[in-house]
């Protein structure tokens, strides 16, 4: 029971919030039910963003348009991320030929080398933005991506199709991706 409470608490600390450098905060809101997809006529456009990938390349969110995209907000300091992110890497490899792109968004790291070590240790196959101040997560705050881990699935029209707060099981993610892929 205590382990379940720890998972439900996500990666927040203190009074369910973790301060970030720019004054925003990350907090656990509530776990999202499995397989919840926003109806197509109720989807809103995702905010545009850009940044630097781990390793130094520039990234612009326009690169995701036309594909189903999975944005995974994670941190090396987050225990559920250590389970979820490697599982997402498997799903990313399985779905790449279907037009699914994965992008990690690493938040609230004190050093980029911690994020790089996490990616190397778990052999993560998809790229990740380095977002130590949580600026991209704050751009998605209406969904809310300020809970870590959070996952947002975008449809090919760059609209938010599904939002998860907390850890997502591989099978649940696959079901949502199948549904969104079938829409196209």
């Amino acid at each position: 029971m205590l382990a379940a409470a720890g998972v439900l608490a996500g990666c927040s600390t203190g009074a369910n919030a973790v301060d970030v450098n720019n004054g925003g905060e990350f907090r656990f809101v509530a776990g999202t039910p499995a397989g919840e997809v926003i109806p197509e006529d109720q989807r809103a456009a995702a905010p545009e963003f850009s940044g630097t990938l781990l390793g130094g390349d520039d990234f612009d969110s326009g690169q995701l348009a036309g594909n189903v995209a999975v944005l995974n907000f994670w941190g090396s300091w987050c225990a559920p991320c250590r389970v979820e992110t490697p599982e997402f890497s498997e799903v990313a490899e399985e779905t790449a030929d279907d037009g699914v792109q994965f992008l990690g968004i690493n938040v609230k790291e004190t050093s980029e080398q911690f994020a790089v070590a996490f990616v190397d240790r778990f052999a993560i196959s998809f790229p990740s933005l380095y977002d130590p101040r949580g600026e991209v997560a704050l751009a998605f705050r209406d969904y809310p991506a300020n809970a870590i881990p959070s996952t947002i699935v975008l449809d090919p029209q760059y609209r938010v199709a599904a939002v998860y707060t907390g850890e997502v099981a591989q099978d649940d993610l696959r079901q949502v991706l199948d549904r969104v892929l079938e829409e196209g």
Side-chain angles (χ1 to χ4, degrees), residues 38-111:
I38 299 167
E40 286 185 80
D41 62 348
Q42 296 177 20
R43 294 180 189 165
E48 295 180 10
F49 62 92
S50 61
T52 304
L53 296 171
L54 295 175
D57 291 337
D58 290 333
F59 182 85
D60 181 83
S61 60
Q63 295 173 247
L64 301 172
N67 292 300
V68 173
V70 177
L71 307 179
N72 179 236
F73 295 84
W74 65 275
S76 67
W77 44 268
C78 166
C81 298
R82 293 182 201 127
V83 174
E84 176 184 77
T85 307
E87 289 181 355
F88 279 14
S89 190
E90 290 177 28
V91 177
E93 290 175 13
E94 293 168 10
T95 59
D97 291 340
D98 297 327
V100 178
Q101 288 184 288
F102 277 67
L103 177 67
I105 301 168
N106 172 260
V107 297
K108 203 187 168 297
E109 292 291 348
T110 56
S111 169

Side-chain angles (χ1 to χ4, degrees), residues 1-174:
M1 196 146 166
L2 286 175
V7 168
L8 289 175
C11 291
S12 61
T13 61
N16 291 338
V18 178
D19 291 330
V20 294
N21 298 333
N22 63 354
E25 56 185 30
F26 294 94
R27 64 181 68 220
F28 179 74
V29 179
T32 304
E36 185 175 318
V37 176
I38 299 167
E40 286 185 80
D41 62 348
Q42 296 177 20
R43 294 180 189 165
E48 295 180 10
F49 62 92
S50 61
T52 304
L53 296 171
L54 295 175
D57 291 337
D58 290 333
F59 182 85
D60 181 83
S61 60
Q63 295 173 247
L64 301 172
N67 292 300
V68 173
V70 177
L71 307 179
N72 179 236
F73 295 84
W74 65 275
S76 67
W77 44 268
C78 166
C81 298
R82 293 182 201 127
V83 174
E84 176 184 77
T85 307
E87 289 181 355
F88 279 14
S89 190
E90 290 177 28
V91 177
E93 290 175 13
E94 293 168 10
T95 59
D97 291 340
D98 297 327
V100 178
Q101 288 184 288
F102 277 67
L103 177 67
I105 301 168
N106 172 260
V107 297
K108 203 187 168 297
E109 292 291 348
T110 56
S111 169
E112 186 174 355
Q113 74 184 78
F114 293 133
V116 170
F118 179 93
V119 167
D120 290 346
R121 176 180 176 204
F122 292 107
I124 306 306
S125 63
F126 54 88
S128 283
L129 276 178
Y130 180 57
D131 187 28
R133 294 170 36 112
E135 292 169 349
V136 176
L138 289 173
F140 281 90
R141 68 183 159 264
D142 292 338
Y143 292 106
N146 57 346
I148 304 300
S150 286
T151 302
I152 295 175
V153 178
L154 304 177
D155 68 15
Q157 290 76 40
Y158 197 71
R159 299 175 303 176
V160 176
V163 179
Y164 293 94
T165 55
E167 187 177 338
V168 180
Q170 267 185 334
D171 290 341
D172 292 334
L173 182 61
R174 282 187 185 101

